[in-house]
Amino acid sequence: MKPVVESYVPPAGIRHAVTAGETWISLAKRIGIDPWDLIEFNFPGIKLVKQRDFQ
């Protein structure tokens, strides 16, 4: 699997400058989705990696 380039912006994505104290969990909660869905949206294919090797 290829790494996602740093400049990647998902289709329909909204740029967000992360601030101190924010987490995937807090960001996902704010928009009402599962944190892993938010991570997958930003880093396509990561759920597959997680399923194969959680560490």
Side-chain angles (χ1 to χ4, degrees):
M1 179 177 303
K2 289 184 189 178
V4 177
V5 295
E6 190 173 325
S7 60
Y8 175 76
V9 177
I14 300 169
R15 283 198 177 275
H16 173 75
V18 178
T19 59
E22 284 184 316
T23 65
W24 288 111
I25 296 169
S26 66
L27 291 170
K29 186 182 282 188
R30 186 180 324 155
I31 58 176
I33 65 171
D34 181 82
W36 277 106
D37 291 337
L38 180 59
I39 295 166
E40 176 71 18
F41 181 78
N42 285 278
F43 301 97
I46 198 71
K47 280 186 177 181
L48 258 168
V49 173
K50 177 184 173 260
Q51 289 171 354
R52 291 183 183 161
D53 182 7
F54 188 70
Q55 301 215 359

